[in-house]
């Protein structure tokens, strides 16, 4: 697991600071919201992220990896980062996920949420 740095993501009303990791993701279990993204280097020395999939889970470490139902599809779209957000209260993660999906419309999410 390599922590890359922060990434701010907005749902149009709220901004959330996600922590960006390599594809191994975080090394611990915690409830949270996660994003699969394709990071493309930019002129400022960072990355511009194309958000591919947004989800939420009770256990990040158990959920993130090759057994995820969108993992291979995300890899085929160039996924090279996993970003996570730890909401407080943890019960808000479903609402955060839904609002982000509705605002961003990632290509691998069902847009009927």
């Amino acid at each position: 697991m390599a922590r890359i740095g922060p990434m701010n993501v907005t749902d149009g009303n709220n901004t959330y600071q996600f922590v960006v990791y390599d594809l191994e993701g975080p090394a611990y279990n915690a409830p949270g919201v996660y994003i699969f993204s394709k990071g493309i280097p930019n002129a400022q020395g960072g990355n511009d992220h194309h958000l591919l999939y947004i989800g939420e889970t009770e256990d990040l470490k158990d959920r993130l990896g090759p057994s995820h139902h969108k993992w291979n599809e995300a890899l085929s779209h160039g996924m090279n980062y996993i970003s996570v957000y730890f909401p407080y209260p943890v019960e808000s993660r479903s609402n955060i996920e839904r609002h982000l999906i509705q605002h961003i419309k990632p290509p691998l999410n069902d847009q009927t949420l």
Side-chain angles (χ1 to χ4, degrees):
M1 164 215 59
R3 181 178 171 158
I4 309 300
M7 175 177 67
N8 289 328
V9 180
T10 183
D11 66 7
N13 296 313
N14 302 294
T15 300
Y16 305 97
Q17 188 172 64
F18 280 73
V19 179
V20 181
Y21 292 91
D22 63 16
L23 292 184
E24 290 185 35
Y28 46 86
N29 267 336
V33 180
Y34 61 92
I35 297 175
F36 294 163
S37 68
K38 177 182 179 179
I40 301 168
N42 61 32
Q44 293 76 34
N47 285 297
D48 293 325
H49 287 266
H50 178 64
L51 308 185
L52 303 170
Y53 182 83
I54 298 170
E56 64 86 16
T57 183
E58 182 69 29
D59 295 304
L60 285 163
K61 185 65 178 165
D62 289 342
R63 179 78 172 125
L64 303 178
S67 63
H68 189 283
H69 70 287
K70 294 289 184 170
W71 187 262
N72 289 333
E73 192 174 1
L75 285 174
S76 74
H77 280 79
M79 174 181 66
N80 53 1
Y81 294 107
I82 297 171
S83 301
V84 299
Y85 175 72
F86 306 99
Y88 183 82
V90 296
E91 295 81 13
S92 66
R93 68 183 190 275
S94 293
N95 287 331
I96 294 169
E97 174 201 31
R98 185 176 66 254
H99 291 140
L100 288 173
I101 291 169
Q102 289 171 343
H103 182 73
I104 296 167
K105 298 177 180 29
L108 302 183
N109 281 96
D110 178 6
Q111 301 305 315
T112 61
L113 291 178

